[in-house]
CSV table of all heavy atoms in Angstrom, one decimal:
chain,number,residue,atom,x,y,z
Y,639,VAL,N,42.3,50.6,26.1
Y,639,VAL,CA,42.0,51.8,25.5
Y,639,VAL,C,40.4,51.6,25.0
Y,639,VAL,O,40.3,50.6,24.2
Y,639,VAL,CB,42.8,52.3,24.4
Y,639,VAL,CG1,42.3,53.7,23.9
Y,639,VAL,CG2,44.3,52.4,24.9
Y,640,ASP,N,39.6,52.3,25.4
Y,640,ASP,CA,38.2,52.3,24.9
Y,640,ASP,C,37.9,53.4,23.8
Y,640,ASP,O,38.2,54.6,24.2
Y,640,ASP,CB,37.2,52.5,26.1
Y,640,ASP,CG,37.2,51.4,27.1
Y,640,ASP,OD1,37.9,50.4,26.8
Y,640,ASP,OD2,36.6,51.6,28.2
Y,641,VAL,N,37.4,52.9,22.8
Y,641,VAL,CA,37.0,53.9,21.7
Y,641,VAL,C,35.4,53.8,21.6
Y,641,VAL,O,34.9,52.8,21.4
Y,641,VAL,CB,37.7,53.5,20.3
Y,641,VAL,CG1,37.2,54.5,19.2
Y,641,VAL,CG2,39.1,53.4,20.3
Y,642,GLU,N,34.9,54.9,21.9
Y,642,GLU,CA,33.5,55.1,21.9
Y,642,GLU,C,32.9,55.8,20.7
Y,642,GLU,O,33.4,56.9,20.5
Y,642,GLU,CB,32.9,55.7,23.2
Y,642,GLU,CG,33.2,55.0,24.5
Y,642,GLU,CD,32.8,55.8,25.7
Y,642,GLU,OE1,32.3,56.9,25.6
Y,642,GLU,OE2,33.1,55.3,26.9
Y,643,ARG,N,32.1,55.1,19.9
Y,643,ARG,CA,31.4,55.7,18.8
Y,643,ARG,C,29.9,55.5,18.8
Y,643,ARG,O,29.5,54.4,18.8
Y,643,ARG,CB,32.0,55.1,17.5
Y,643,ARG,CG,33.4,55.4,17.3
Y,643,ARG,CD,33.9,55.0,15.9
Y,643,ARG,NE,35.3,55.4,15.7
Y,643,ARG,CZ,36.3,54.5,15.5
Y,643,ARG,NH1,35.9,53.2,15.4
Y,643,ARG,NH2,37.4,54.8,15.3
Y,644,GLY,N,29.2,56.5,19.0
Y,644,GLY,CA,27.8,56.5,19.2
Y,644,GLY,C,27.5,55.8,20.4
Y,644,GLY,O,28.0,56.1,21.5
Y,645,ASP,N,26.7,54.6,20.3
Y,645,ASP,CA,26.3,53.9,21.4
Y,645,ASP,C,27.2,52.6,21.6
Y,645,ASP,O,26.7,51.8,22.3
Y,645,ASP,CB,24.8,53.6,21.4
Y,645,ASP,CG,24.4,52.7,20.1
Y,645,ASP,OD1,25.3,52.7,19.3
Y,645,ASP,OD2,23.4,52.2,20.1
Y,646,ARG,N,28.3,52.5,20.8
Y,646,ARG,CA,29.2,51.3,20.8
Y,646,ARG,C,30.5,51.7,21.5
Y,646,ARG,O,31.0,52.7,21.3
Y,646,ARG,CB,29.5,50.8,19.4
Y,646,ARG,CG,28.2,50.7,18.6
Y,646,ARG,CD,27.6,49.1,18.7
Y,646,ARG,NE,28.5,48.1,18.9
Y,646,ARG,CZ,28.7,47.1,18.1
Y,646,ARG,NH1,28.0,47.0,17.1
Y,646,ARG,NH2,29.5,46.1,18.4
Y,647,THR,N,31.1,50.7,22.3
Y,647,THR,CA,32.2,50.9,22.8
Y,647,THR,C,33.2,49.7,22.3
Y,647,THR,O,32.9,48.5,22.4
Y,647,THR,CB,32.3,50.9,24.2
Y,647,THR,OG1,31.5,51.8,24.7
Y,647,THR,CG2,33.7,51.0,25.0
Y,648,TYR,N,34.4,50.1,21.7
Y,648,TYR,CA,35.5,49.1,21.2
Y,648,TYR,C,36.6,49.2,22.2
Y,648,TYR,O,37.1,50.2,22.4
Y,648,TYR,CB,35.8,49.5,19.7
Y,648,TYR,CG,34.6,49.5,18.8
Y,648,TYR,CD1,34.0,50.7,18.6
Y,648,TYR,CD2,34.1,48.4,18.2
Y,648,TYR,CE1,32.9,50.9,17.8
Y,648,TYR,CE2,33.0,48.4,17.4
Y,648,TYR,CZ,32.4,49.7,17.2
Y,648,TYR,OH,31.3,49.8,16.3
Y,649,ARG,N,37.0,48.0,22.7
Y,649,ARG,CA,38.1,48.0,23.6
Y,649,ARG,C,39.3,47.2,23.0
Y,649,ARG,O,39.3,46.2,22.4
Y,649,ARG,CB,37.6,47.1,24.8
Y,649,ARG,CG,36.7,47.9,25.7
Y,649,ARG,CD,36.4,47.4,27.1
Y,649,ARG,NE,35.6,48.2,27.8
Y,649,ARG,CZ,34.4,48.1,28.1
Y,649,ARG,NH1,33.8,46.9,27.8
Y,649,ARG,NH2,33.7,49.0,28.8
Y,650,TYR,N,40.5,47.8,23.3
Y,650,TYR,CA,41.7,47.5,22.7
Y,650,TYR,C,42.8,47.4,23.8
Y,650,TYR,O,43.0,48.3,24.5
Y,650,TYR,CB,42.2,48.3,21.6
Y,650,TYR,CG,41.2,48.5,20.5
Y,650,TYR,CD1,40.3,49.5,20.4
Y,650,TYR,CD2,41.0,47.5,19.5
Y,650,TYR,CE1,39.3,49.7,19.5
Y,650,TYR,CE2,40.1,47.6,18.5
Y,650,TYR,CZ,39.2,48.7,18.5
Y,650,TYR,OH,38.2,48.8,17.5
Y,651,PRO,N,43.5,46.2,23.8
Y,651,PRO,CA,44.7,46.2,24.7
Y,651,PRO,C,45.9,46.7,23.9
Y,651,PRO,O,46.2,46.2,22.8
Y,651,PRO,CB,44.9,44.6,24.9
Y,651,PRO,CG,44.3,44.0,23.8
Y,651,PRO,CD,43.2,44.9,23.2
Y,652,CYS,N,46.5,47.8,24.5
Y,652,CYS,CA,47.6,48.4,23.7
Y,652,CYS,C,48.8,48.4,24.5
Y,652,CYS,O,48.9,48.3,25.8
Y,652,CYS,CB,47.2,49.9,23.4
Y,652,CYS,SG,45.9,50.0,22.3
Y,653,ARG,N,50.1,48.4,23.7
Y,653,ARG,CA,51.3,48.3,24.3
Y,653,ARG,C,52.3,49.2,23.5
Y,653,ARG,O,52.2,49.3,22.3
Y,653,ARG,CB,51.9,46.9,24.3
Y,653,ARG,CG,53.2,46.7,24.8
Y,653,ARG,CD,53.7,45.3,24.8
Y,653,ARG,NE,52.9,44.5,25.6
Y,653,ARG,CZ,52.8,43.2,25.5
Y,653,ARG,NH1,53.4,42.5,24.5
Y,653,ARG,NH2,52.0,42.5,26.4
Y,654,LEU,N,53.0,50.0,24.2
Y,654,LEU,CA,53.9,51.0,23.5
Y,654,LEU,C,55.3,50.8,24.2
Y,654,LEU,O,55.4,51.1,25.4
Y,654,LEU,CB,53.4,52.5,23.8
Y,654,LEU,CG,54.1,53.6,23.1
Y,654,LEU,CD1,54.0,53.4,21.6
Y,654,LEU,CD2,53.3,54.8,23.4
Y,655,ALA,N,56.3,50.5,23.4
Y,655,ALA,CA,57.7,50.3,24.0
Y,655,ALA,C,58.3,51.6,24.0
Y,655,ALA,O,58.8,52.4,23.0
Y,655,ALA,CB,58.5,49.4,23.0
Y,656,LEU,N,58.5,52.2,25.2
Y,656,LEU,CA,59.2,53.5,25.5
Y,656,LEU,C,59.9,53.2,26.9
Y,656,LEU,O,59.6,52.4,27.7
Y,656,LEU,CB,58.2,54.5,25.6
Y,656,LEU,CG,57.5,55.1,24.4
Y,656,LEU,CD1,56.5,56.1,24.6
Y,656,LEU,CD2,58.7,55.7,23.5
Y,657,PRO,N,60.9,54.0,27.1
Y,657,PRO,CA,61.6,53.9,28.5
Y,657,PRO,C,60.7,54.3,29.6
Y,657,PRO,O,59.7,55.2,29.4
Y,657,PRO,CB,62.7,54.9,28.3
Y,657,PRO,CG,62.6,55.7,27.2
Y,657,PRO,CD,61.5,55.1,26.3
Y,658,MET,N,60.8,53.9,30.7
Y,658,MET,CA,60.0,54.2,32.0
Y,658,MET,C,60.0,55.6,32.3
Y,658,MET,O,58.8,56.1,32.8
Y,658,MET,CB,60.5,53.5,33.2
Y,658,MET,CG,59.7,53.6,34.4
Y,658,MET,SD,60.0,52.5,35.8
Y,658,MET,CE,61.7,52.4,35.7
Y,659,ASP,N,60.9,56.4,32.0
Y,659,ASP,CA,60.9,57.8,32.2
Y,659,ASP,C,60.3,58.7,31.1
Y,659,ASP,O,60.4,60.0,31.1
Y,659,ASP,CB,62.3,58.4,32.5
Y,659,ASP,CG,63.2,58.3,31.5
Y,659,ASP,OD1,63.0,57.6,30.5
Y,659,ASP,OD2,64.4,58.8,31.6
Y,660,ALA,N,59.5,58.1,30.1
Y,660,ALA,CA,58.9,58.8,29.0
Y,660,ALA,C,57.9,59.8,29.5
Y,660,ALA,O,57.3,59.5,30.6
Y,660,ALA,CB,58.4,57.9,27.9
Y,661,GLU,N,57.7,60.9,28.9
Y,661,GLU,CA,56.5,61.8,29.4
Y,661,GLU,C,55.2,61.2,29.2
Y,661,GLU,O,55.0,60.6,28.1
Y,661,GLU,CB,56.7,63.1,28.6
Y,661,GLU,CG,57.8,64.0,28.8
Y,661,GLU,CD,57.7,65.3,28.2
Y,661,GLU,OE1,56.6,65.8,28.2
Y,661,GLU,OE2,58.7,65.8,27.8
Y,662,ILE,N,54.4,61.2,30.2
Y,662,ILE,CA,53.1,60.5,30.3
Y,662,ILE,C,52.2,60.9,29.2
Y,662,ILE,O,51.4,60.1,28.6
Y,662,ILE,CB,52.5,60.5,31.7
Y,662,ILE,CG1,51.3,59.6,31.8
Y,662,ILE,CG2,52.0,62.0,31.9
Y,662,ILE,CD1,51.7,58.2,31.8
Y,663,ASP,N,52.2,62.2,28.8
Y,663,ASP,CA,51.4,62.7,27.7
Y,663,ASP,C,51.7,62.0,26.4
Y,663,ASP,O,50.9,61.7,25.6
Y,663,ASP,CB,51.3,64.1,27.6
Y,663,ASP,CG,50.6,64.8,28.7
Y,663,ASP,OD1,49.8,64.2,29.5
Y,663,ASP,OD2,50.8,66.0,28.9
Y,664,VAL,N,53.1,61.9,26.2
Y,664,VAL,CA,53.5,61.1,25.0
Y,664,VAL,C,53.0,59.7,25.0
Y,664,VAL,O,52.5,59.2,24.0
Y,664,VAL,CB,55.0,61.3,24.8
Y,664,VAL,CG1,55.5,60.4,23.8
Y,664,VAL,CG2,55.5,62.7,24.7
Y,665,VAL,N,53.2,59.2,26.2
Y,665,VAL,CA,52.7,57.8,26.3
Y,665,VAL,C,51.2,57.5,26.1
Y,665,VAL,O,50.8,56.7,25.2
Y,665,VAL,CB,53.0,57.2,27.7
Y,665,VAL,CG1,52.5,55.8,28.0
Y,665,VAL,CG2,54.5,57.1,28.0
Y,666,LYS,N,50.5,58.4,26.7
Y,666,LYS,CA,49.0,58.3,26.5
Y,666,LYS,C,48.6,58.4,25.1
Y,666,LYS,O,47.7,57.8,24.6
Y,666,LYS,CB,48.3,59.3,27.5
Y,666,LYS,CG,48.4,58.8,28.9
Y,666,LYS,CD,47.7,60.0,29.9
Y,666,LYS,CE,47.8,59.5,31.2
Y,666,LYS,NZ,47.2,60.6,32.2
Y,667,LEU,N,49.1,59.5,24.4
Y,667,LEU,CA,48.7,59.7,23.0
Y,667,LEU,C,49.2,58.7,22.1
Y,667,LEU,O,48.4,58.3,21.2
Y,667,LEU,CB,49.5,61.1,22.5
Y,667,LEU,CG,49.0,61.6,21.1
Y,667,LEU,CD1,47.5,61.8,21.1
Y,667,LEU,CD2,49.9,62.8,20.9
Y,668,GLY,N,50.3,58.0,22.4
Y,668,GLY,CA,50.8,56.8,21.6
Y,668,GLY,C,49.8,55.8,21.7
Y,668,GLY,O,49.5,55.0,20.9
Y,669,LEU,N,49.4,55.5,22.9
Y,669,LEU,CA,48.5,54.3,23.1
Y,669,LEU,C,47.1,54.6,22.6
Y,669,LEU,O,46.6,53.6,21.9
Y,669,LEU,CB,48.3,54.2,24.7
Y,669,LEU,CG,49.6,53.5,25.4
Y,669,LEU,CD1,49.3,53.7,27.0
Y,669,LEU,CD2,49.7,52.1,25.1
Y,670,MET,N,46.7,55.8,22.6
Y,670,MET,CA,45.3,56.0,22.0
Y,670,MET,C,45.4,55.9,20.4
Y,670,MET,O,44.5,55.5,19.7
Y,670,MET,CB,44.9,57.4,22.4
Y,670,MET,CG,44.4,57.6,23.8
Y,670,MET,SD,43.7,59.1,24.5
Y,670,MET,CE,45.2,60.1,24.4
Y,671,ARG,N,46.4,56.4,19.9
Y,671,ARG,CA,46.6,56.4,18.4
Y,671,ARG,C,46.7,54.9,17.9
Y,671,ARG,O,46.3,54.6,16.9
Y,671,ARG,CB,47.9,57.1,17.9
Y,671,ARG,CG,47.7,58.6,18.0
Y,671,ARG,CD,48.9,59.3,17.4
Y,671,ARG,NE,48.7,60.8,17.4
Y,671,ARG,CZ,49.6,61.7,17.3
Y,671,ARG,NH1,50.8,61.3,17.2
Y,671,ARG,NH2,49.3,62.9,17.1
Y,672,GLN,N,47.4,54.1,18.8
Y,672,GLN,CA,47.5,52.7,18.5
Y,672,GLN,C,46.2,52.0,18.5
Y,672,GLN,O,45.8,51.3,17.6
Y,672,GLN,CB,48.4,52.0,19.5
Y,672,GLN,CG,48.5,50.5,19.1
Y,672,GLN,CD,49.3,49.7,20.2
Y,672,GLN,OE1,49.3,50.1,21.4
Y,672,GLN,NE2,50.1,48.7,19.8
Y,673,ALA,N,45.3,52.3,19.5
Y,673,ALA,CA,43.9,51.8,19.4
Y,673,ALA,C,43.1,52.3,18.2
Y,673,ALA,O,42.4,51.4,17.6
Y,673,ALA,CB,43.2,52.3,20.7
Y,674,LEU,N,43.3,53.4,17.8
Y,674,LEU,CA,42.5,54.0,16.6
Y,674,LEU,C,43.0,53.1,15.4
Y,674,LEU,O,42.3,52.8,14.5
Y,674,LEU,CB,42.8,55.4,16.4
Y,674,LEU,CG,42.0,56.4,17.2
Y,674,LEU,CD1,42.5,57.8,17.0
Y,674,LEU,CD2,40.6,56.3,17.2
Y,675,ARG,N,44.4,52.9,15.2
Y,675,ARG,CA,44.9,52.1,14.2
Y,675,ARG,C,44.4,50.6,14.2
Y,675,ARG,O,44.0,50.1,13.1
Y,675,ARG,CB,46.4,52.0,14.1
Y,675,ARG,CG,47.0,53.3,13.7
Y,675,ARG,CD,48.5,53.2,13.3
Y,675,ARG,NE,49.3,52.6,14.6
Y,675,ARG,CZ,49.8,53.3,15.5
Y,675,ARG,NH1,49.6,54.6,15.6
Y,675,ARG,NH2,50.4,52.6,16.4
Y,676,MET,N,44.1,50.1,15.4
Y,676,MET,CA,43.5,48.7,15.6
Y,676,MET,C,42.1,48.5,15.2
Y,676,MET,O,41.7,47.6,14.9
Y,676,MET,CB,43.8,48.2,17.0
Y,676,MET,CG,45.4,48.0,17.3
Y,676,MET,SD,45.6,47.9,19.2
Y,676,MET,CE,44.9,46.2,19.4
Y,677,SER,N,41.4,49.7,15.3
Y,677,SER,CA,40.0,49.7,15.0
Y,677,SER,C,39.7,49.4,13.7
Y,677,SER,O,40.2,49.9,12.7
Y,677,SER,CB,39.4,51.1,15.5
Y,677,SER,OG,38.0,51.1,15.3
């Protein structure tokens, strides 16, 4: 997950434990929120 702020990019490897059939929008939002918490 890349978090871009101004002219800087911060990259985070994220992992979210969910079943394989989880809704992709839920997965993506969870991964992005994790990156923000890691920042």
Side-chain angles (χ1 to χ4, degrees):
V639 182
D640 293 349
V641 178
E642 297 175 357
R643 290 193 181 116
D645 61 348
R646 307 270 325 233
T647 299
Y648 305 91
R649 293 194 167 106
Y650 302 98
C652 295
R653 179 180 292 161
L654 185 62
L656 287 173
M658 186 172 26
D659 61 351
E661 290 191 36
I662 193 64
D663 288 342
V664 171
V665 171
K666 290 178 178 181
L667 187 58
L669 291 166
M670 290 186 283
R671 285 182 174 166
Q672 182 184 34
L674 287 174
R675 286 191 308 268
M676 293 170 66
S677 182

